[in-house]
Amino acid sequence: MEIMNDVVTKEDLRQFGLELLGNIENLITQTKEGHSDVTEQEWIKSRQVRKLMNMSPGSVQNLRVTEKVRFKKIVGSYYYNKADLLKLFTDEKCK
């Protein structure tokens, strides 16, 4: 059995803490960047539509029921065509 005589100093712990915080910040930044690309997707989920267009769940459902935008239902989730949404709201602003 080998006994380790390595001593961990306060400076070692401080450096480890700084490195750990840096890694966590990088992960958070990467996660935010991955979720901010909603505008580049062709089909977006209901939750993203509500956030992007500042709409209630009922308003999004109304767009689907009245067939104002194309949608797909995949495994219980609705996806809406982003181009249709943007066109619909661009047309509404012009009126």
Side-chain angles (χ1 to χ4, degrees):
M1 186 164 138
E2 185 178 323
I3 299 176
M4 299 188 79
N5 292 326
D6 292 340
V7 177
V8 177
T9 65
K10 287 182 181 181
E11 181 61 24
D12 293 334
L13 291 174
R14 188 185 72 74
Q15 288 178 357
F16 173 75
L18 292 173
E19 184 178 331
L20 183 61
L21 285 175
N23 290 340
I24 291 171
E25 287 174 353
N26 287 339
L27 287 172
I28 290 171
T29 301
Q30 290 171 0
T31 302
K32 285 181 180 178
E33 288 172 356
H35 291 291
S36 66
D37 293 336
V38 171
T39 55
E40 295 180 12
Q41 299 173 1
E42 184 178 351
W43 293 89
I44 56 179
K45 283 185 154 186
S46 298
R47 181 179 334 117
Q48 294 167 322
V49 172
R50 292 194 318 261
K51 185 176 179 182
L52 186 65
M53 302 293 185
N54 193 26
M55 300 176 76
S56 70
S59 296
V60 176
Q61 180 183 11
N62 188 41
L63 293 175
R64 184 177 71 240
V65 170
T66 58
E67 299 180 355
K68 290 185 178 182
V69 295
R70 290 177 287 169
F71 67 93
K72 297 177 182 181
K73 184 176 182 181
I74 302 173
V75 192
S77 294
Y78 287 98
Y79 293 83
Y80 297 86
N81 185 274
K82 184 190 76 159
D84 289 354
L85 289 165
L86 294 176
K87 183 178 184 310
L88 176 70
F89 287 97
T90 302
D91 291 345
E92 289 294 321
K93 284 183 181 179
C94 292
K95 291 183 180 180

